[in-house]
Amino acid sequence: MKPTVYTIENDTLFCFTVSQAKVIAIELEGKKYQDSITVEQSTQLALKDSLIQQQDSTIKLLQHQAINYQSIIANNQEVNNEVNLQLDFLKTEVKRHKRDKIFLGTGLGVSIGIIGILAILN
């Protein structure tokens, strides 16, 4: 494609025929279309990058939550173990106090019986 070149008042002008102008217009439209596709792809890529960052943040948050839940479960197990130990101790204490009451009642009954017998004998 060779344009006709004119120089008017120190300006260089390029003149094309109608068929050459059509070819240039078609090429320019193709470039414009390619540029719009590039812009659209860049926008979609930026959006995908943003979504990936959000997913990464969500994954990290969920990982921290899982760790926290594991700590809560471990703490609950420790508390349950401690409560069970205290419950066992209290059960043992209750049994011991019942046994002591029985011995005290028996001893008191025997003592009253002995005192009663001694009182009758005197």
Side-chain angles (χ1 to χ4, degrees), residues 96-110:
R96 188 174 60 83
H97 286 300
K98 282 182 181 179
R99 187 182 64 236
D100 288 349
K101 280 184 181 180
I102 291 171
F103 287 149
L104 180 64
T106 304
L108 187 60
V110 169

Side-chain angles (χ1 to χ4, degrees), residues 33-43:
Y33 178 71
Q34 289 174 351
D35 288 345
S36 67
I37 289 174
T38 302
V39 168
E40 180 64 27
Q41 286 177 341
S42 296
T43 304

